[in-house]
Amino acid sequence: MQTVPNHQVENLQIEDDRTGLSVECLKRAFLDNLFYVQGKFPKIATKNDYYMALAYTVRDRLLQRWINTAVIYTERASRTVSYLSAEFLMGPHLGNNLVNLGIYDQVKQAVSELGLDLEDLLEQEEEPGLGNGGLGRLAACYLDSMATLEIPSLGYGIRYEFGIFDQDIRDGWQVEITDKWLHCGNPWEIARPEWEVYVKLGGHTEAYTDEHGRYRVRWIPYQVVKGVPHDTPILGYKTNTANTLRLWTAEAPESFDFGAFNSGDYLGAVQAKMVSENLSKVLYPNDDSSQGKRLRLAQQIFFVSCSLQDMIRIVFRQNVPLEKFHEKFVVQLNDTHPAIAVAELMRLLIDEHDMGWDQAWSITQKSLAYTNHTLLPEALERWPISLFRSLLPRHLEIIYEINYHFLEEVKAKFPGDSDRLRRMSLIDESGEKYVRMAHLACVGSHSINGVAALHTKLLQQDVLRDFYQMYPEKFNNKTNGVTPRRFMVLSNPRLTNLISSKIGDSWIKHLKDLKKLEAFVDDPEFCHQWRSIKSAIKHDLVAYIQKQNGISVNPDSIFDIQAKRFHEYKRQHLNALHIITLYNRIKANPDIDITPRTFIFGGKAAPGYYMAKLIIKLLNSIADVVNNDPDVRDRLKVVFLKDYSVKFAQRVYPAADLSEQISMAGKEASGTGNMKFALNGALTIGTLDGANVEIRDEVGAENFFIFGLTAPEVYALKARGYRPLDYYHSNRELKAVIDRIASGHFSHGDTQLFKPLLDSLLHRDEYLLFADYQAYIDCQDNVSQVYRDRDRWTRMSILNVARMGKFSSDRSIRDYCQDIWNIQSVPIELGECIQAKE
Ligand code: B1N
C-alpha cells in the first residue's frame, strides 16, 4: 500500500488531551477514553473498562513519542538492531509505561481523585505471557534497555493467541489451563495490515534458466500463509525513544483457497484457513527442550520469513540498496529458534531479489549474529531431514549448498580430519538424518555469544568446541542483565525511594552508581530503614499467601525462595531434601532450636515433563504435612505459589531474604532470577554455575553462600563413575530423608507415588543431588546461623545491592552495541517532526 502525502493532516497539532501530563489533563483524558473508546460511563463501567480507559490514556502519550521516533529513524535511515525471538515475556505494560513516562504519581493521583485505586487497575491487566522463562524475559529486558539507551531497534516475534498456560494446582498436581490473554482486548497494540507479507510452505522446487541464461530455482509451495504485523510501542526510561515490538499473526490469504471455495468445497476452504491460523495459535511450553515437531518449525519459518521480508521492505522504503542490507540492519538470533534465518535470507536475496550466491552469503554473514542460551544436549534443536524437506524444500537445498562450501573450508583448515567433518557438518548423519540448527547459526553468523562467562567458556571448550577452533574470532561473551526499571523502580518502590533519598536517582539509568550505597553500610539509621522496608514487604507477601493459600506465615522467618521453571537440573528437589532434613531434626528433637524459615516455591513445569510435575507434587505434599504437624510449631512453612508469572515475580523478588540458585554446575547457562533477587536485597545460596559465578565475584565471596561441586568437579566425578547409592548408605541424614519419602509419610502411606523420583535419584541421579547434599545442608545451616545476626545480614544485603551494578541489561546492551552490533544511539527530540517539512 502507498502512503499518501497529506499536508493538511501533517499540519494538525496533536491535541493537548492526548499528550498532557498534568493531573487535570489525565483525568479529562481518562473519562474521555472511557466514554469514546470503551463506550462506557462511570455508573456502568467495570474494573476492566477503567483499566482499558487508563491504558488508552497512557497509550496516547506513547503515540506522540512513537511517531516522532519512527519519523526520525525513517528520515535518517538509522542503523537498526533487529532482535529475532520466538518469545517475548513482556509482563504487564501499564505500570512499566507509567514508570518510563515518569507519570506514575500523577496518574495515581488522577485516578484516586476519580475514586479509583491505581494498584487495583494495574492488577486488572492480563499480561502477555508470550514466553516460557528466562530466554523470553531477557528479550523483554533487552527491548527496555535498547529504548532507554536510544538504540534504534525492532523486536520481531509471534503474536501467540495463547501464551504460556495458566497453572492451577489440584490435589498437589499441576493442571494446565489455556491462557486467553486477548479475551478482553489488547489496548497496547496496533495492527498494521498494510504491511502484511506472505510465507510459503511445503511443495517442491523446480530448476529453470532465466532470461540471462542463469541457473535459477523456483519454489512451488503447497501452502501460503499471510503474516499480519501487530505493533506495540516500547518506551525507554525517561527518553523520547519509543521503539517497536512487531509480532506476527498468521492468517489464511483471501485468495489462496478460492479454487476450493469456488468448486463448492466451502468446508475445505475453511479448513485451510484454520490450518494457516494454527501457526500463531499457541506457544510451545517447553523451556530447555526441543521435540522436532512440524508445527514448531512452521512457526519458526513463519516469523523469520515475515520479519526478514519486513526488513527488506524497510530497506527499499528508505532507499537503501539491498546490497547494503547489513549496513541498515543487524539481526540478533535469540537462540536457534530463528536460525532458519540463515537459509531464508539467502533464499530471499537469491531467489526473490536476483542476487548471486557469494554476495548473498557475504551479506547474510555480516547481518546475522547468534546467541546461544543452553548447554543441555536435549535443548539443541535438530530437525529430521524428511520433516524439513517436506516443509522447506528450498531451504534444504540451500543448506546443502552452504554445507558443501563450509565443509570445503573445514577441509582446507584441517586437512585429512574426516572425523571433524562429520562432527561439524550441518547435517547429522549418524543415524536418522537431521539438520543441526546450532551449526547452521554458527556458520551463518559473524558473532556467536554465550550469556555468562562460564557458559561461554563451556561453549568454547565443549558444546561448540569445533566451531571455536574453526572461528575463534566469532566467539564472545555477553553476560545477561535485567532491567532495573521493572525489577526495582516498578516492583520495589519502597527500596527505590530509600536508595534515591541517599544517593539520588542516577542509578536507575546507571546501575553502577548503586556503589554509593556502600558509604551507608555502617549508618545504623539507614540499616534500620533497610530492614523495616524488607519487613514491610514481607508482611505484604504474608497477607497474599494467607489469601491465596490459606497458610499463615511468620513474617520474621527467613523467606527462602526458589522461583523458576521446574527442571531436574535446577534441583528444586534438592531444596526439598533440605526441608525434610530440618523436619526430621524437629521430629527427632521437638525442642530443637531452629531458625524459622518459610520455603516459597513458584514455577511451571513443561506439561509433558513427568518428573518435573512429580517434583511439584512432592513439594505440595511436603507442604501439607509440614504446615500441619503440631511438632513443627510454625518454625517451618512450605508454600507453593501457583501460576508464577512476570506480574507475580514482581511481587516475590522484593520479599526474599534468601535466593535459591542451586542448579548442578555446568547446566544453567546464566540465570537472570539470580540477578533480580540480589538486586532486591536477597542473599544468594548457590552453586558456581551460570552468572552466579560473576555475581559472587561482584558482591564478594563473604556476602554470598556458595556450595557444591564446580563444573570441572562435576565432569571429573561423572568420569570416575558416580554412585549415588554410596552417598545414601554413608550419609545418615540423607538416608533418613529418602526413607521418609519412601515410607509414604508425605503421601498418605502411598509408597509408590514418589518411587519414580526416588529410583531416579538412587540409581542415576543425573544432576548429582546426593553428591551435593551435605555441602548444601552445611551451607544452609550456616545461612540460619548468619540470619540470627540481623545486623550482619542487613549489611550483607546492602552490600549485595550496592554491588549489583554490572547486572543491568543496559550494560549487556552497551556491550552488544560495541562488540557485535556496531551501532550508535539516535536521540529523539519531541515535536520537531510531526509537522510536515515544507
Ligand atoms: O535462557 C536464559 C538463561 O538465563 C537460562 O540460564 C537459560 O536456561 C534460558 C527452548 C529455551 N535457555 N534455553 C531456553 C527456552 C525455550 C525453548 O523452547 C530453550 N531458555 C534458556 C536467558 O539467557
Side-chain angles (χ1 to χ4, degrees):
M1 248 182 245
Q2 284 286 314
T3 43
V4 185
N6 180 334
H7 293 285
Q8 258 169 345
V9 171
E10 285 170 347
N11 281 323
L12 264 183
Q13 284 289 335
I14 303 296
E15 286 170 20
D16 183 59
D17 268 15
R18 295 248 157 132
T19 57
L21 302 178
S22 70
V23 171
E24 277 315 305
C25 186
L26 288 165
K27 279 162 70 179
R28 243 188 354 258
F30 176 82
L31 291 173
D32 195 69
N33 279 319
L34 182 67
F35 192 91
Y36 286 105
V37 183
Q38 208 47 24
K40 285 284 185 80
F41 53 97
K43 214 168 185 168
I44 58 162
T46 64
K47 204 177 270 180
N48 188 62
D49 292 326
Y50 286 124
Y51 159 74
M52 293 292 271
L54 183 55
Y56 284 116
T57 304
V58 174
R59 193 183 82 175
D60 287 341
R61 273 116 197 109
L62 295 178
L63 275 169
Q64 179 199 23
R65 289 164 176 79
W66 202 12
I67 292 169
N68 270 270
T69 305
V71 169
I72 291 182
Y73 289 171
T74 306
E75 271 176 7
R76 304 205 194 149
S78 309
R79 179 164 169 79
T80 300
V81 178
S82 183
Y83 199 86
L84 261 60
S85 180
E87 307 190 2
F88 286 93
L89 192 45
M90 300 301 290
H93 290 292
L94 177 56
N96 193 241
N97 281 324
L98 293 179
V99 164
N100 285 9
L101 276 167
I103 58 168
Y104 196 99
D105 295 334
Q106 292 94 304
V107 166
K108 194 175 170 70
Q109 189 185 338
V111 297
S112 119
E113 287 179 17
L114 294 169
L116 298 162
D117 175 31
L118 179 58
E119 303 303 318
D120 241 24
L121 298 184
L122 290 171
E123 211 33 56
Q124 192 61 35
E125 180 170 354
E126 281 265 7
E127 75 173 73
L130 308 186
N132 276 288
L135 172 138
R137 184 54 233 176
L138 186 78
C141 283
Y142 282 0
L143 294 186
D144 180 84
S145 285
M146 287 190 282
T148 298
L149 295 172
E150 306 179 305
I151 300 298
S153 67
L154 267 162
Y156 280 114
I158 301 174
R159 182 175 174 276
Y160 300 105
E161 185 179 338
F162 304 122
I164 187 68
F165 62 86
D166 294 335
Q167 179 195 52
D168 197 5
I169 300 293
R170 297 190 193 151
D171 187 29
W173 294 96
Q174 167 176 299
V175 174
E176 299 91 22
I177 298 162
T178 40
D179 158 57
K180 303 209 175 86
W181 70 288
L182 287 167
H183 79 294
C184 289
N186 173 8
W188 302 104
E189 67 183 2
I190 296 187
R192 304 289 190 193
E194 65 275 27
W195 295 327
E196 67 188 25
V197 292
Y198 292 85
V199 177
K200 301 186 229 180
L201 297 171
H204 64 278
T205 64
E206 289 172 0
Y208 68 100
T209 311
D210 70 10
E211 63 274 24
H212 309 291
R214 284 189 304 178
Y215 172 85
R216 301 292 294 270
V217 176
R218 187 184 292 129
W219 174 13
I220 294 98
Y222 168 76
Q223 187 191 1
V224 175
V225 180
K226 182 165 85 177
V228 181
H230 289 68
D231 289 359
T232 302
I234 306 296
L235 180 70
Y237 178 73
K238 296 192 179 168
T239 66
N240 294 319
T241 297
N243 289 326
T244 297
L245 170 62
R246 181 162 290 167
L247 301 178
W248 299 95
T249 33
E251 291 182 11
E254 293 78 10
S255 57
F256 193 67
D257 288 299
F258 264 59
F261 192 70
N262 290 336
S263 68
D265 186 9
Y266 174 74
L267 290 179
V270 173
Q271 172 83 15
K273 181 170 153 60
M274 280 162 35
V275 170
S276 301
E277 288 169 355
N278 272 340
L279 287 189
S280 55
K281 191 61 82 185
V282 61
L283 167 75
Y284 274 86
N286 301 314
D287 189 79
D288 284 334
S289 88
S290 150
Q291 286 164 353
K293 287 279 188 300
R294 182 186 177 90
L295 180 61
R296 166 113 171 165
L297 180 59
Q299 289 186 335
Q300 296 184 349
I301 186 63
F302 168 69
F303 94 90
V304 165
S305 180
C306 287
S307 307
L308 287 170
Q309 291 186 62
D310 194 56
M311 288 177 236
I312 290 174
R313 174 185 62 81
I314 293 170
V315 161
F316 284 133
R317 188 186 63 190
Q318 298 185 356
N319 293 317
V320 176
L322 192 57
E323 292 68 34
K324 295 194 170 182
F325 180 91
H326 57 286
E327 292 180 20
K328 167 69 197 174
F329 283 111
V330 56
V331 181
Q332 192 69 38
L333 307 176
N334 200 23
D335 213 286
T336 53
H337 318 148
I340 190 63
V342 176
E344 174 65 1
L345 184 52
M346 287 298 283
R347 189 192 68 80
L348 288 167
L349 295 176
I350 293 170
D351 293 357
E352 314 258 334
H353 294 280
D354 296 348
M355 205 178 272
W357 180 277
D358 292 344
Q359 185 171 31
W361 184 242
S362 156
I363 291 172
T364 297
Q365 276 192 323
K366 283 184 204 153
S367 305
L368 303 184
Y370 162 51
T371 304
N372 174 290
H373 291 268
T374 185
L375 295 158
L376 299 185
E378 66 269 30
L380 293 178
E381 289 191 299
R382 316 179 300 164
W383 300 104
I385 291 274
S386 51
L387 188 163
F388 202 97
R389 183 184 294 110
S390 79
L391 196 66
L392 301 172
R394 179 58 182 140
H395 296 78
L396 187 59
E397 291 173 359
I398 291 172
I399 286 171
Y400 278 140
E401 183 153 354
I402 295 172
N403 200 29
Y404 171 78
H405 294 294
F406 167 61
L407 292 179
E408 286 300 306
E409 246 186 274
V410 179
K411 276 185 217 163
K413 185 152 181 171
F414 302 96
D417 192 345
S418 62
D419 207 47
R420 184 182 295 267
L421 293 178
R422 189 184 48 69
R423 291 197 309 267
M424 294 186 78
S425 172
L426 304 188
I427 312 293
D428 177 350
E429 309 201 46
S430 51
E432 190 195 352
K433 287 197 194 179
Y434 291 96
V435 182
R436 295 163 158 161
M437 298 310 274
H439 293 202
L440 180 64
C442 285
V443 174
S445 301
H446 66 278
S447 164
I448 302 166
N449 76 279
V451 290
L454 173 66
H455 171 229
T456 301
K457 195 176 104 191
L458 295 175
L459 284 179
Q460 292 172 354
Q461 288 174 357
D462 188 26
V463 182
L464 297 177
R465 178 197 175 127
D466 290 322
F467 289 88
Y468 182 55
Q469 290 173 357
M470 180 81 194
Y471 307 118
E473 71 289 348
K474 286 193 188 183
F475 281 75
N476 61 96
N477 176 245
K478 293 289 165 283
T479 298
N480 285 169
V482 302
T483 172
R485 272 75 64 181
R486 183 177 290 274
F487 292 107
M488 268 296 263
V489 182
L490 176 60
S491 60
N492 200 343
R494 286 177 273 210
L495 203 57
T496 295
N497 291 337
L498 174 63
I499 293 171
S500 295
S501 75
K502 292 292 176 193
I503 64 169
D505 63 6
S506 66
W507 60 274
I508 299 171
K509 275 201 187 197
H510 303 278
L511 202 63
K512 286 245 157 106
D513 289 352
L514 283 175
K515 195 107 210 149
K516 297 179 191 160
L517 279 177
E518 286 195 32
F520 299 92
V521 73
D522 292 317
D523 173 344
E525 172 61 17
F526 179 71
C527 292
H528 174 75
Q529 289 174 313
W530 191 271
R531 196 152 61 223
S532 336
I533 285 174
K534 181 64 86 179
S535 168
I537 299 168
K538 287 169 71 177
H539 273 89
D540 289 353
L541 189 60
V542 166
Y544 182 86
I545 292 171
Q546 182 64 255
K547 193 161 137 237
Q548 276 288 309
N549 297 47
I551 300 171
S552 50
V553 160
N554 170 6
D556 294 324
S557 62
I558 306 176
F559 278 26
D560 174 339
I561 309 189
Q562 189 167 18
K564 52 181 78 239
R565 284 297 288 250
F566 272 79
H567 200 297
E568 288 163 280
Y569 85 77
K570 295 177 189 279
R571 304 199 293 191
Q572 281 94 350
H573 45 337
L574 179 57
N575 192 336
L577 299 186
H578 174 233
I579 300 173
I580 300 172
T581 303
L582 296 181
Y583 176 71
N584 281 348
R585 287 178 189 170
I586 290 176
K587 294 306 279 183
N589 173 10
D591 291 324
I592 193 173
D593 186 15
I594 274 188
T595 313
R597 285 214 197 205
T598 302
F599 297 90
I600 300 172
F601 294 90
K604 297 174 184 178
Y609 189 171
Y610 172 71
M611 213 48 106
K613 291 175 124 173
L614 192 56
I615 294 171
I616 291 180
K617 171 67 178 168
L618 174 64
L619 291 172
N620 283 308
S621 306
I622 295 171
D624 275 349
V625 170
V626 169
N627 297 347
N628 298 307
D629 188 323
D631 284 346
V632 175
R633 277 187 264 124
D634 286 350
R635 284 169 291 179
L636 305 179
K637 282 279 155 70
V638 182
V639 179
F640 189 98
L641 290 169
K642 72 173 182 187
D643 203 26
Y644 192 66
S645 61
V646 176
K647 193 193 260 186
F648 203 71
Q650 291 172 205
R651 186 193 289 279
V652 166
Y653 295 124
D657 293 309
L658 187 67
S659 152
E660 298 270 353
Q661 307 299 335
I662 59 177
S663 54
M664 181 181 83
K667 287 290 172 189
E668 190 70 89
S670 162
T672 43
N674 46 4
M675 300 169 188
K676 296 163 196 166
F677 276 113
L679 183 59
N680 282 274
L683 305 189
T684 305
I685 182 165
T687 48
L688 281 175
D689 200 13
N692 295 353
V693 178
E694 291 158 78
I695 296 175
R696 189 193 64 151
D697 287 347
E698 292 292 308
V699 305
E702 69 284 9
N703 299 306
F704 197 100
F705 298 100
I706 202 83
F707 74 95
L709 299 174
T710 61
E713 288 167 353
V714 164
Y715 302 136
L717 175 55
K718 292 207 167 192
R720 280 203 306 275
Y722 172 57
R723 302 201 326 196
L725 270 177
D726 293 353
Y727 294 82
Y728 169 78
H729 287 300
S730 62
N731 188 318
R732 195 182 44 80
E733 277 201 305
L734 174 60
K735 181 167 186 305
V737 168
I738 297 299
D739 293 350
R740 174 83 75 180
I741 302 172
S743 74
H745 189 85
F746 302 108
S747 41
H748 307 284
D750 181 347
T751 55
Q752 295 305 298
L753 181 59
F754 297 117
K755 194 163 184 298
L757 185 58
L758 297 180
D759 282 347
S760 128
L761 288 176
L762 288 163
H763 304 300
R764 284 185 305 281
D765 193 15
E766 194 184 342
Y767 300 106
L768 305 186
L769 278 77
F770 286 9
D772 273 343
Y773 171 80
Q774 195 55 53
Y776 182 54
I777 299 299
D778 292 344
C779 192
Q780 287 285 22
D781 288 343
N782 183 230
V783 168
S784 291
Q785 232 17 75
V786 174
Y787 191 76
R788 290 169 173 242
D789 182 346
R790 291 304 176 95
D791 290 337
R792 179 169 170 209
W793 188 278
T794 302
R795 194 189 154 82
M796 290 168 77
S797 166
I798 296 169
L799 288 177
N800 262 264
V801 176
R803 296 172 180 176
M804 281 301 289
K806 172 174 173 185
F807 303 100
S808 168
S809 44
D810 299 346
R811 188 270 313 147
S812 310
I813 288 299
R814 277 197 202 94
D815 291 349
Y816 276 94
C817 287
Q818 273 178 27
D819 304 344
I820 305 177
W821 298 340
N822 183 28
I823 195 169
Q824 263 83 49
S825 62
V826 176
I828 306 296
E829 302 285 338
L830 272 197
E832 75 177 34
C833 51
I834 292 206
Q835 280 94 332
K837 295 240 156 50
E838 293 301 330

